[in-house]
Amino acid sequence: MNGRLSSYRRIVIKIGSALLVDRKRGLKQDWLKSLARDIAELRHEGHEVLVVSSGAIAMGRTVLDMRSGSLKLEESQAAAAVGQIALARAWAEALDAEGITTGQVLVTIDDTEARRRYLNARATIGALLRMGAVPVINENDTVATSEIRYGDNDRLAARVATMMNADLLIILSDVDGLYTASPAIDPDAKHLAEVAAITPEIEAMAGGAASELSRGGMRTKIEAGKIATHAGTAMIITLGGVDHPLKTLDSGNRCTLFQPQSAPVSAWKSWIAGQLEPQGRVVVDEGAARALRSGKSLLAAGVRTVQGTFQRGDTLAIVMEGTGAEIGRGLAGYDSGEAIRIAGRKTSEIEAILGYAPRAAMIHRDDMVVKP
C-alpha cells in the first residue's frame, strides 16, 4: 500500500459488529482473513496498527442462539462472556496466519476516563506495539453497565486513538462516509469527501443507529470525530463490507476524511477534552467566557451557578449562561459543596467563607480546554 494511507504512521482501525458477524451464519471468516492480510501489508510498510473490534455480544448471540431484538443487561453480558472468547480466538487465528501476534485488551469507560487507569492502559498498549503485537481492543461488556459504559465502540476507538497519539482513525462502516442527509431517506443527499471542521451543520447531518448488531450510527461517528480531530488525529469513515477494505481504501475507494485541528492540544488537555461524562457543570457569564477564551483561569466570581455533585479533580463542563451551550471542559479546583458556596464571590471573600486560603481558581487554565 503506497496510496492514501502512506503518510500515517500509527493507525487505529475500528470494525463494527455488522461487518464481522452475520446474525445467522456467525463470523465472516473470509472477510476477516482479507482484513488481516491488509493489516500485515500495512505493518510490512512500517505502519503501527491497533484494532478496536466490536462483535463480542454479536458473536455470543450466534453461539448461544439467542433471540433477536433487544437484550436485558444480564443477557448482553452473558453473550459478551461467550463472544469475547470467540472474538479473541478469531483475531488470533486470522493474524497468526499472517505471522502477527495478537494481544487482547478489554477496557471500560473508567479505564480511559480515570487518569491513573488511562495511563496504565496506554502503557500496556504501548508495550504491545513495541513488542510487535497488534492490540485488539474492545469494551469489556461483561462488567460494564449502562451507567458506566461507552455504549458504542466508535467513541472508544477515538479515545484509544487520542490516548495512543495515533495519526489516523479509520472507521470501517456499512456506509462509505458522511452525506448531507441520510441517503436512505433523501435521494438527493450528497457525499462529503472531506470535512475540514466538525461544525453544528456537520453534526446535524448525522443519523441514528442502523441495526441490532450495531449500537453505533453516524451520530456516534461524528462524536468520535470530534474527540479524534480535536487531539490532532485524522479520521476516515469508509465502507468496510468489501474484501480487503484497507487496500481498497488506500487505492482510492470513496470515504470521508475528517481533517485534524491544525494546532492539536497537549496529551493532558486532550484527555480532559475527551472526557465523555462530566461529573458536574458550571454556568458562567459572558465576561467569564471572554476571559476563558483569552487564556485566563475560571475564577469563582465569573460562575453564576454550580450543578452536580463532584470532587476536586473531577471533570466539569463549562456552559454559557442563558444558552446552556458548552464552551469548554476542565478539572474542578473545589468539591461541589465548596464551589456552590463561593460561586459569584470575589477571591478576597473566599477565605472568610471557607475558613482557609483559597486555591488559585475554580478551574485553572492549565487544567482546562476551551472551544474556539
Side-chain angles (χ1 to χ4, degrees), residues 38-325:
D38 288 352
I39 292 173
E41 289 189 26
L42 283 174
R43 283 168 47 88
H44 179 72
E45 293 165 5
H47 303 275
E48 291 182 327
V49 179
L50 303 85
V51 173
V52 176
S53 176
S54 301
I57 293 177
M59 289 189 70
R61 292 180 73 141
T62 61
V63 172
L64 295 169
D65 194 24
M66 299 176 76
R67 59 183 173 80
S68 60
S70 60
L71 299 177
K72 297 177 181 177
L73 175 61
E74 63 270 21
E75 292 175 330
S76 293
Q77 292 177 326
V82 172
Q84 281 172 357
I85 295 174
L87 186 66
R89 181 171 61 246
W91 276 107
E93 291 176 351
L95 290 174
D96 183 66
E98 301 294 338
I100 299 171
T101 300
T102 309
Q104 184 188 41
V105 182
L106 297 176
V107 299
T108 66
I109 191 170
D110 285 345
D111 295 321
T112 55
E113 301 289 278
R115 182 64 177 172
R116 181 177 296 178
R117 293 170 71 173
Y118 167 93
L119 294 173
N120 288 340
R122 185 170 69 178
T124 299
I125 295 171
L128 286 170
L129 291 172
R130 289 192 299 274
M131 294 173 185
V134 169
V136 177
I137 302 150
N138 190 15
E139 183 161 17
N140 193 350
D141 291 300
T142 59
V143 300
T145 66
S146 58
E147 290 79 18
I148 56 169
R149 63 171 298 113
Y150 279 89
D152 64 86
N153 274 349
D154 294 323
R155 293 186 301 170
L156 171 60
R159 291 295 277 141
V160 169
T162 60
M163 180 171 68
M164 301 309 301
N165 296 319
D167 302 298
L168 176 66
L169 167 62
I170 300 173
I171 295 184
L172 297 179
S173 180
D174 54 0
V175 293
D176 56 6
L178 178 65
Y179 286 75
T180 54
S182 171
I185 299 174
D186 184 356
D188 296 323
K190 294 180 175 57
H191 179 269
L192 301 179
E194 186 172 323
V195 174
I198 299 177
T199 62
E201 290 75 20
I202 293 295
E203 293 185 64
M205 298 174 187
S211 74
E212 68 179 38
L213 292 182
S214 174
R215 287 171 295 182
M218 188 56 67
R219 186 175 302 279
T220 65
K221 291 171 177 56
I222 296 300
E223 288 297 321
K226 290 165 64 177
I227 295 169
T229 58
H230 189 74
T233 299
M235 186 180 86
I236 286 176
I237 300 174
T238 192
L239 190 65
V242 295
D243 286 342
H244 298 285
L246 301 179
K247 188 172 184 178
T248 58
L249 170 64
D250 187 65
S251 60
N253 204 36
R254 190 151 77 163
C255 69
T256 298
L257 169 64
F258 295 79
Q259 293 286 3
Q261 287 192 2
S262 58
V265 297
S266 68
W268 170 239
K269 292 199 172 186
S270 170
W271 177 77
I272 295 171
Q275 293 276 287
L276 300 179
E277 301 294 341
Q279 282 73 46
R281 289 158 46 105
V282 288
V283 181
V284 301
D285 59 25
E286 183 59 42
R290 285 196 300 269
L292 298 184
R293 292 191 177 104
S294 68
K296 305 292 186 182
S297 296
L298 176 61
L299 302 180
V303 177
R304 286 293 165 259
T305 58
V306 176
Q307 302 169 356
T309 301
F310 52 86
Q311 297 180 329
R312 183 187 178 203
D314 284 346
T315 304
L316 302 180
I318 306 169
V319 301
M320 277 295 301
E321 183 180 29
T323 65

Side-chain angles (χ1 to χ4, degrees), residues 334-367:
Y334 292 90
D335 293 348
S336 54
E338 297 170 321
I340 290 170
R341 292 170 63 193
I342 65 175
R345 298 302 188 98
K346 296 178 180 179
T347 302
S348 59
E349 301 174 319
I350 295 177
E351 184 171 0
I353 296 171
L354 298 181
Y356 61 83
R359 299 185 182 92
M362 186 81 80
I363 301 177
H364 194 275
R365 63 184 182 181
D366 291 342
D367 296 329

Side-chain angles (χ1 to χ4, degrees), residues 10-53:
R10 179 172 288 179
I11 301 173
V12 175
I13 303 162
K14 186 267 175 179
I15 296 99
S17 296
L19 295 176
L20 193 60
V21 183
D22 181 89
R23 182 68 182 89
K24 295 181 179 178
R25 295 188 296 272
L27 179 70
K28 299 178 182 178
Q29 293 184 349
D30 291 341
W31 180 87
L32 181 57
K33 288 178 182 178
S34 77
L35 177 61
R37 170 100 299 260
D38 288 352
I39 292 173
E41 289 189 26
L42 283 174
R43 283 168 47 88
H44 179 72
E45 293 165 5
H47 303 275
E48 291 182 327
V49 179
L50 303 85
V51 173
V52 176
S53 176

